[in-house]
Amino acid sequence: MERNPMRRQLAIMRQSLFDQGHVDEQFVQLEELQDDANPNFVEEVVTLYYRDSARIILNIEQALERKPFDFRKLDAYMHQFKGSSSSIGAKKVKAESTLFREYCKSGNGEGCMRSFQQLKKEYATLRKKLGTYFQLARQAGPVETASRPK
Amino acid sequence: MFNLRKSMALTLPLGEASDQDKWDNGGLERKRQLLIEIVLRSRLTALMVDGDTTCWVLKQELLRSYGVQTLGVDNGRDAIDLIASDAAFNLIIIEKILPVLNGLEVTRQICEIGMRCKMLAVTAYSGESERQAFLATSVDVFIEKPLDLEHLVPILRELDRQ
C-alpha cells in the first residue's frame, strides 16, 4: 500500500522533534489524550502554553532588569514556567529552566541571565518547529484512531 | 475545546512503539499492540489546585479520560474555602506555587479542617527539601510535574478499591 507522502513527512518531522531533544515522552502523553472528540488537543494545549507562558517570560525579563536580583522571586517564576513546560514535554526548555533555578539557588546573577537567554532561544525554536508541525498535521488531515469500548 | 470523554474504559502504555507504528493508520496498530484497559467501578472525584492553566487543563483531561469527575481552582484560598464548605473529594492534586496561599499552607489547613482523602503534590521539582516539606504536611505522594500514568493509575486503582 502506498503511504501518504504528507503523512510520511509528518512522521519524519515528529520523529525529529524527539531525536533533536526538543520534546520528551510527555509529548506522547498529550498525543494519547487526543482523539475524535479532541482532534486538535495537542495543538490547543501547546497554543495555550505559549499564550500563558509569555506572561511569565515577561515577568522574568522585568525581574532581571531590577538590581539587586530578587532570586526568590526569579525562582518562583521559573518554578511555574518549568512546570508548564514539562507538562507539554518541552525537554530543552525544561532543562534550561532547571539550570536557571540552580543559578538562582546559588545567587549567580550572571548565570541566570545567560541561562535565560538560552532558554528563550530554545522556547522560540520549539514554537517554530511545533508551528510547522501542526500546520502540516492540519493539511494531512485527521488520523484514524482506535475506538475505545464503552 | 476540551470535551469530557464518554468512556470509562481507558488504556495504559505497556512499552515503546516502533517509529513506523506511531503514525501509520493513526496509531491504531500501536494501540492494539501496546495498550491494556482498566475500568474504574466507582465514580471518583478530584480537586485540582493549580494556578497554571496549561497544567490545569492537562491534569483535567488526563483525569477525565479515566472517568474521574474533576473540579479545579487556581488559588489556595479558594481551595480552602471549598474544603471548609464540606465539599468532598477522593483525590486532591495540589501545586506548590499558588496565588494567595502556597500549596504547603493549603495542605496544612486542609489537614486541620479534618478532610480525609488522597492528596498528591504535583509540582516542578525544587529539591529534596521541597519533597520532605510536602510529605511532612500529610501529602500522600509527591510527584514531579508532569503528572504521569505510572503514578496516577495505581492511585486510581487504590481509590477505586476503597
Side-chain angles (χ1 to χ4, degrees), chain B residues 4 9 11 16 34 40 42-43 49 52 69 74 84 94-95 97 105 119 127 134 136 142 148 150 154 159 161:
Chain B
L4 181 65
T11 52
E16 293 294 320
L34 298 179
L40 298 178
S42 312
R43 183 71 167 178
V49 191
D52 185 88
Q69 190 173 357
D74 63 4
I94 190 156
E95 156 65 64
I97 305 282
E105 185 56 32
M119 290 184 63
F134 257 115
F142 180 95
D148 60 326
E150 282 73 23
L159 289 171
R161 280 195 292 266

Side-chain angles (χ1 to χ4, degrees), chain A residues 63 66 68-75 104:
Chain A
R66 290 190 283 270
F69 288 150
D70 184 340
F71 288 108
R72 190 165 165 272
K73 186 176 278 188
L74 284 168
D75 185 64
C104 284

Side-chain angles (χ1 to χ4, degrees), chain A residues 44-112:
Chain A
E44 287 171 355
V45 170
V46 170
T47 301
L48 184 64
Y49 163 74
Y50 274 100
R51 187 196 74 188
D52 286 357
S53 60
R55 175 179 50 83
I56 306 175
I57 292 278
L58 182 62
N59 287 339
I60 296 172
E61 278 175 341
Q62 290 172 344
L64 288 173
E65 287 168 5
R66 290 190 283 270
K67 303 284 194 326
F69 288 150
D70 184 340
F71 288 108
R72 190 165 165 272
K73 186 176 278 188
L74 284 168
D75 185 64
Y77 284 141
M78 192 53 75
H79 176 109
Q80 185 181 355
F81 183 79
K82 182 185 170 185
S84 57
S85 300
S86 67
S87 294
I88 70 156
K91 188 175 179 181
K92 287 188 181 181
V93 173
K94 180 183 170 183
E96 284 302 326
S97 303
T98 301
L99 187 59
F100 183 96
R101 297 190 72 195
E102 287 169 7
Y103 285 130
C104 284
K105 286 179 174 55
S106 60
N108 185 337
E110 287 295 323
C112 283

Side-chain angles (χ1 to χ4, degrees), chain A residues 7 14-15 26 28-29 32-33 35 37-38 44 49 52 79 84 87 101 105 133 143-144 146 148-149, chain B residues 1 3 5 7 11 19 22-23 25-26 30 37 52-54 58 61 95 97 123-126 146-147:
Chain A
R7 287 257 141 233
R14 179 183 179 275
Q15 190 58 45
Q26 176 62 16
V28 178
Q29 181 156 303
E32 290 279 314
L33 292 172
D35 63 3
N38 282 322
E44 287 171 355
Y49 163 74
D52 286 357
H79 176 109
S84 57
S87 294
R101 297 190 72 195
K105 286 179 174 55
Y133 174 72
V143 169
E144 181 187 347
R148 291 199 172 88
Chain B
M1 180 176 166
N3 299 312
R5 284 174 186 256
S7 171
T11 52
D19 292 346
K22 283 170 184 169
W23 275 102
N25 298 318
R30 172 173 178 239
E37 289 184 356
D52 185 88
T53 310
T54 306
L58 279 169
E61 192 64 16
E95 156 65 64
I97 305 282
T123 182
Y125 188 61
S126 297
L147 178 60

Side-chain angles (χ1 to χ4, degrees), chain B residues 6 29 32 35 41-42 51 61 73 111 118 127 134 141 148 153:
Chain B
K6 294 191 173 69
E29 289 304 314
R32 284 179 184 156
L35 303 182
R41 294 168 299 174
S42 312
E61 192 64 16
V73 293
C111 291
K118 197 81 169 177
F134 257 115
V141 184
D148 60 326
V153 171

